[in-house]
Each structure stands twice: as structure tokens, then as C-alpha cells.
Amino acid sequence: MLNIGEYHTLTIDRETEPGLFLTNEEGDEVLLPNKYIPETWEIGGELRVFVYLDHEERPVATTLEPLVKLDEFAFLKCVEVNEFGAFLDWGLEKHLFVPFKEQAYPMKQGGRYLIFCYLDEETNRLVASSKVHAFLDNSELTVEPFEEVDLIISNKSDLGYNVIINEIHLGLLYNDEIFQPINVGDHMKGFIKKTRPDGKIDVMLQRPGYRSIEPNAQRILDELAANHGHLNITDKSDPAMIQNVLEMSKKSFKRAAGNLYKQRKIEITEDGIYLKENQ
């Protein structure tokens, strides 16, 4: 079976006027139009292609790589809005459709939106939804505290940012634990801070607790090396200054600096911290 919205490695079966027909082991076939045929090919050879529906709702193959495939999240640009819904640029000729009912709020041409791509079972068409949280499930958690995870920044909330965890769960990143610029649609690594009995998940961009000492300590060493061995920062410095320079909280800085001092890697004076000459 040739699944819509997925990549397939298919065998070149025959050449026709509109293009090459490709087949799988079950004998299912799909057309690869002439404009997508690579420079070199041969009957019996294999091609990796993406299968979707063309403008006439027929399955078709392409060697182009879309920006999103079935059951994935992506941050895409809206290129058109009409009486039927919105259309997104996903890297293919036929734009990805977003019905009005699947828009978290009305999309506008030129705007960029975080979406989930799924198969509409009624029409067998790939469509997108910006109601991304509907495609997440926290009923059975697959993550544990301190675990490193993949995050997608979803949307701003009163407490911070909602985030998509491993493309499975919904989590929350609190405002007072963000020490670097972030934007909706950003992909980044993070860490599970806490899982709650009700299924809610708190995440951080730094390793929680004592586990954050080493990465933060290395960040201090890197900044010292980049600034001729001196930083005008102490445990009395303004928290905003520490966040701006080191992208960490004052508490994290004090913990990491104390660790480096104990290891005799830095000196702490009234005018800041210094990298020891033997480092």
C-alpha cells in the first residue's frame, strides 16, 4: 500500500509519456511526473519519493522534499486564504490546506503558524490543523524527570510557553526559567523538570537541580575564555545582567561559580571572576 504523506522507496517499472511509473513489492503503482525525474535512472532501479495527491486528487510521487509529512508538526507560512480555508507553503506545488474549523484563530496571508499534518479520512487528503494541542496525549506519560527531550515551542501563555514534547506530550516552560530568546515554532533540546499526577509536565531548557552544574560551569568557562579571562559578574550582580551575559539565573550562576571555585578553576574578587592562569 502506498501511504499518502509518507516517503517510499519504489522500483522504476516503466516509462510513459507523462513520466515514470513506480511500483512497490505489492504491485501498487504511482506516477512520477517528468519534471521530477532525476538525470540518471534505469528500469528496475529504485527511487525514494514522497507520495501525495495532485491538483486532481490523484496519488502522485515527487522527488521534492516537503517541509512536513504525515503526523508531523511544522511552522509554515500561509500563502493564501479563500472562502474554503487557508493554504500553507510546505515545499510542494500544491499547497497544504487548513480548513477554517481547524484554525485555532483565523489565519492571514503572510503569517506563519505551527501546524500538525494529518490525513482526513473522509477525503483521503492531507490537511493541516493549527489546533496542535488536540494531537497531543498526556494520559500515559512516556518521559521521566531529568530526561532530555525534544521540544517545539507551541504558544505563549500567562505562565510561560506551552511546548510539544517529543511530538507526543504537552508541557509548560515557565517564564522565570527562560534565559534565552525563544519563538513559536523553535525546535530545541530541553529537560523534564517534573511530572504531575494529573499528567501535566514542567520542562526546563537547562538540566534541573545539581545536574545543571556542569553545563553552566562550562558556559562560565567559555565566556571567561572569550573575554580575556575576566567577567565583571559576582554573586551581588543584578539577575538581569547575569541572564543577559550567561543566559542563566542568578541562582544557577552562584551554584556553578561556586563549583568552579572549589575546583580552583576561577578566582572570585570584588570586581568579578577571573580564569586561573593554569586553565
Side-chain angles (χ1 to χ4, degrees), residues 18 119 125 164 183 217 228 251:
L119 189 68
R125 292 189 303 174
I164 296 170
N183 297 286
H228 307 290
K251 181 178 180 180

Side-chain angles (χ1 to χ4, degrees), residues 114 132-133 136 152-156 161-164 170 183-186:
L114 181 65
V132 294
H133 295 176
L136 302 174
I152 303 174
I153 305 301
S154 173
N155 64 285
K156 191 82 170 68
Y161 282 87
N162 288 313
V163 297
I164 296 170
L170 177 66
N183 297 286
V184 172
D186 284 352

Side-chain angles (χ1 to χ4, degrees), residues 205-236:
L205 300 182
Q206 297 172 307
R207 291 185 184 274
Y210 72 92
R211 298 168 186 246
S212 68
I213 291 178
E214 287 308 319
N216 287 334
Q218 186 60 53
R219 177 60 187 266
I220 292 173
L221 292 177
D222 291 342
E223 287 297 319
L224 283 168
N227 289 275
H228 307 290
H230 175 243
L231 288 175
N232 187 26
I233 295 178
T234 69
D235 59 4
K236 297 179 181 179

Side-chain angles (χ1 to χ4, degrees), residues 178-181 206 215-234 237-250 252-253 271-273:
I178 300 174
F179 308 109
Q180 64 190 68
Q206 297 172 307
N216 287 334
Q218 186 60 53
R219 177 60 187 266
I220 292 173
L221 292 177
D222 291 342
E223 287 297 319
L224 283 168
N227 289 275
H228 307 290
H230 175 243
L231 288 175
N232 187 26
I233 295 178
T234 69
S237 297
D238 184 77
M241 177 183 178
I242 296 174
Q243 178 177 331
N244 183 56
V245 175
L246 296 171
E247 296 183 348
M248 67 181 71
S249 67
K250 186 172 183 176
S252 295
F253 165 73
D271 67 337
I273 56 177

